Short mmCIF file of all heavy atoms in Angstrom, two decimals:
data_model
loop_
_atom_site.label_atom_id
_atom_site.label_comp_id
_atom_site.label_asym_id
_atom_site.label_seq_id
_atom_site.Cartn_x
_atom_site.Cartn_y
_atom_site.Cartn_z
N ILE A 89 31.01 128.53 60.53
CA ILE A 89 31.06 127.10 60.17
C ILE A 89 31.29 126.23 61.40
O ILE A 89 31.64 125.06 61.27
CB ILE A 89 32.16 126.85 59.11
CG1 ILE A 89 33.53 127.35 59.60
CG2 ILE A 89 31.79 127.51 57.79
CD1 ILE A 89 34.67 127.03 58.67
N GLY A 180 67.99 148.38 56.41
CA GLY A 180 68.53 147.40 55.46
C GLY A 180 67.49 146.36 55.08
O GLY A 180 66.47 146.20 55.75
N GLN A 575 97.61 136.70 92.36
CA GLN A 575 98.30 137.02 91.11
C GLN A 575 97.34 137.21 89.94
O GLN A 575 97.78 137.56 88.84
CB GLN A 575 99.31 135.93 90.78
CG GLN A 575 100.45 135.82 91.78
CD GLN A 575 101.42 134.72 91.42
OE1 GLN A 575 101.02 133.59 91.11
NE2 GLN A 575 102.71 135.03 91.44
N PHE A 642 104.35 119.01 85.12
CA PHE A 642 104.01 120.42 84.95
C PHE A 642 104.53 120.90 83.60
O PHE A 642 105.42 120.28 83.00
CB PHE A 642 104.67 121.29 86.04
CG PHE A 642 104.20 121.04 87.44
CD1 PHE A 642 104.76 120.01 88.19
CD2 PHE A 642 103.21 121.81 88.01
CE1 PHE A 642 104.34 119.77 89.50
CE2 PHE A 642 102.78 121.58 89.31
CZ PHE A 642 103.35 120.57 90.05
N LEU A 645 105.29 128.24 82.31
CA LEU A 645 104.85 129.30 81.40
C LEU A 645 105.29 130.67 81.89
O LEU A 645 105.46 130.90 83.09
CB LEU A 645 103.32 129.29 81.27
CG LEU A 645 102.66 128.05 80.68
CD1 LEU A 645 101.14 128.22 80.69
CD2 LEU A 645 103.16 127.79 79.27
#
Side-chain angles (χ1 to χ4, degrees):
I89 56 175
Q575 295 180 313
F642 295 85
L645 297 178

